[in-house]
């Protein structure tokens, strides 16, 4: 009795004389292309999503730049002030950091050797407005110890070398994590490294440019690959200002509570 019509995606029975491509119990599985084609389609869809995200991010920068203007970040007068600010800004607002740095300037100690010469308690008293001042005093002294004792107080010497090696050098310092290290690299060291912070994560999640569980490294790779189109001589300023624009959006519009989506320059890019 002949078999009824068999759907093409099912294996057909083994026929006499066939020996290649046999499956378990003599069943031949000819549908290798069924594995390849869906994977190819998935790859195409993934690539198209990546291109759409690139277009969205680049358009987002134009919208933010039009709204806020160039931010000329980081807000520090010297590379050393940038590094100090990158440590002090951990878990606090920038306005508090500004008050702490103003204290250091008033005491005339905002230089590597002078700052390192202070005791931990003296340093903590000066940076008190930044919050967690005892913890941050220890972290600052850890950074200063490396800078002064290993590199003679020279940021140029600290930042010389390949980006990955310099980053590992910074991450080895107690209290310097990925965001702090990348802030120093991008804004003080002149290295191309995109900074990811809480504002970036929140904005990207709300616009569905990333998943809710995306890691720091995943977000950083996403930004660096999507925003690589500028010539190298322009890319440093582009990444610096892009991060600064995201900070402005996060502070003024994309707030944790009561976000102002209807007034946000990026409202047209919401899903």
């Amino acid at each position: 009795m002949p078999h009824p019509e068999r759907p093409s995606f099912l294996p057909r029975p083994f026929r006499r004389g066939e020996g290649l491509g046999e499956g378990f119990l003599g069943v031949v599985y000819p549908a290798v292309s069924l594995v390849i084609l869906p994977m190819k389609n998935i790859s195409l869809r993934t690539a198209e999503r990546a291109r759409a995200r690139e277009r969205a991010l680049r358009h987002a920068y134009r919208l933010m730049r039009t709204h806020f203007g160039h931010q000329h970040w980081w807000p520090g007068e010297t590379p050393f002030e940038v590094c100090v600010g990158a440590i002090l800004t951990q878990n606090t607002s920038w306005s508090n950091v500004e008050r702490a740095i103003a204290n250091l300037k008033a005491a005339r100690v905002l230089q590597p050797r002078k700052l390192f010469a202070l005791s931990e308690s003296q340093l903590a008293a000066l940076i008190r407005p930044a919050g967690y001042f005892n913890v941050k005093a220890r972290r600052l002294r850890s950074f200063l110890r490396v800078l002064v004792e290993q590199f003679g107080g020279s940021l140029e010497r600290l930042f010389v070398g390949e980006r990955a090696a310099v980053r590992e050098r910074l991450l080895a310092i107690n209290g310097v994590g990925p965001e702090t290290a990348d802030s120093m690299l991008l804004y003080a060291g002149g290295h191309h490294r995109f900074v990811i912070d809480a504002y970036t994560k929140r904005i990207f999640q709300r616009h569905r440019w990333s998943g809710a569980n995306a890691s720091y490294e995943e977000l950083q790779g996403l930004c660096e690959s999507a925003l690589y189109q500028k010539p190298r001589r322009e890319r440093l300023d582009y990444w610096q200002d892009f991060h600064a624009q995201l900070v402005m959006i996060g502070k003024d519009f994309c707030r944790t509570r009561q976000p102002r989506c209807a007034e946000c320059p990026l409202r047209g890019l919401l899903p």
Side-chain angles (χ1 to χ4, degrees):
M1 181 177 179
H3 290 286
E5 186 67 25
R6 178 181 298 272
S8 61
F9 57 83
L10 293 177
R12 60 179 173 76
F14 173 66
R15 296 173 183 167
R16 188 182 302 278
E18 293 179 332
L20 297 177
E22 293 181 22
F24 182 61
L25 294 180
V27 177
V28 175
Y29 295 87
V32 176
S33 61
L34 290 176
V35 176
I36 297 173
L37 289 177
M39 291 300 292
K40 183 178 180 181
N41 291 340
I42 290 171
S43 298
L44 289 173
R45 287 196 297 271
T46 301
E48 179 53 39
R49 282 197 296 268
R51 287 193 292 269
R53 187 167 52 203
E54 285 181 4
R55 292 192 294 269
L57 287 174
R58 295 171 187 182
H59 184 50
Y61 178 71
R62 292 191 292 271
L63 293 172
M64 294 185 293
R65 177 75 179 263
T66 299
H67 185 86
F68 294 113
H70 194 287
Q71 292 300 295
H72 305 286
W73 255 47
W74 183 287
E77 295 178 358
T78 66
F80 181 65
E81 184 178 329
V82 169
C83 292
V84 171
I87 294 173
L88 294 181
T89 197
Q90 296 171 355
N91 301 306
T92 194
S93 67
W94 185 252
S95 60
N96 292 335
V97 175
E98 288 179 323
R99 291 163 57 207
I101 288 180
N103 287 348
L104 297 175
K105 289 180 176 180
R108 299 181 182 277
V109 293
L110 195 55
Q111 298 174 21
R113 293 186 185 277
K114 288 184 177 181
L115 207 55
F116 189 48
L118 297 177
S119 67
E120 189 173 303
S121 60
Q122 289 174 319
L123 181 56
L126 288 170
I127 64 171
R128 190 181 186 93
Y132 302 100
F133 47 90
N134 289 320
V135 173
K136 292 179 181 179
R138 287 194 295 273
R139 292 178 177 178
L140 257 179
R141 282 188 58 77
S142 295
F143 171 73
L144 291 165
R145 182 173 294 108
V146 171
L147 179 61
V148 172
E149 294 182 352
Q150 297 183 25
F151 297 94
S154 170
L155 283 177
E156 288 185 8
R157 290 177 57 192
L158 175 66
F159 288 125
V160 73
E162 293 294 324
R163 181 187 66 184
V166 179
R167 190 173 192 261
E168 288 304 313
R169 190 180 299 156
L170 293 172
L171 290 173
I173 300 172
N174 180 49
V176 176
E179 183 182 338
T180 302
D182 292 335
S183 296
M184 292 180 181
L185 286 169
L186 182 67
Y187 291 107
H191 286 277
H192 292 78
R193 197 67 174 173
F194 202 91
V195 178
I196 302 299
D197 56 21
Y199 295 129
T200 308
K201 293 177 184 177
R202 185 161 66 244
I203 294 166
F204 275 46
Q205 288 172 15
R206 286 178 174 172
H207 287 82
R208 297 184 186 173
W209 296 332
S210 69
N213 298 318
S215 68
Y216 184 97
E217 290 73 19
E218 289 170 339
L219 285 170
Q220 188 173 63
L222 186 160
C223 290
E224 291 184 354
S225 62
L227 306 174
Y228 205 78
Q229 81 278 15
K230 298 280 187 180
R232 184 174 180 82
R233 64 182 180 277
E234 300 176 17
R235 198 181 310 138
L236 188 69
D237 177 77
Y238 180 42
W239 287 7
Q240 289 173 343
D241 194 51
F242 202 116
H243 172 243
Q245 300 288 346
L246 291 173
V247 170
M248 296 300 294
I249 290 288
K251 286 169 53 182
D252 293 352
F253 297 101
C254 198
R255 302 166 177 172
T256 305
R257 301 181 189 86
Q258 297 181 329
R260 300 168 56 205
C261 299
E263 306 163 57
C264 179
L266 303 183
R267 60 188 177 276
L269 298 178
L270 283 168

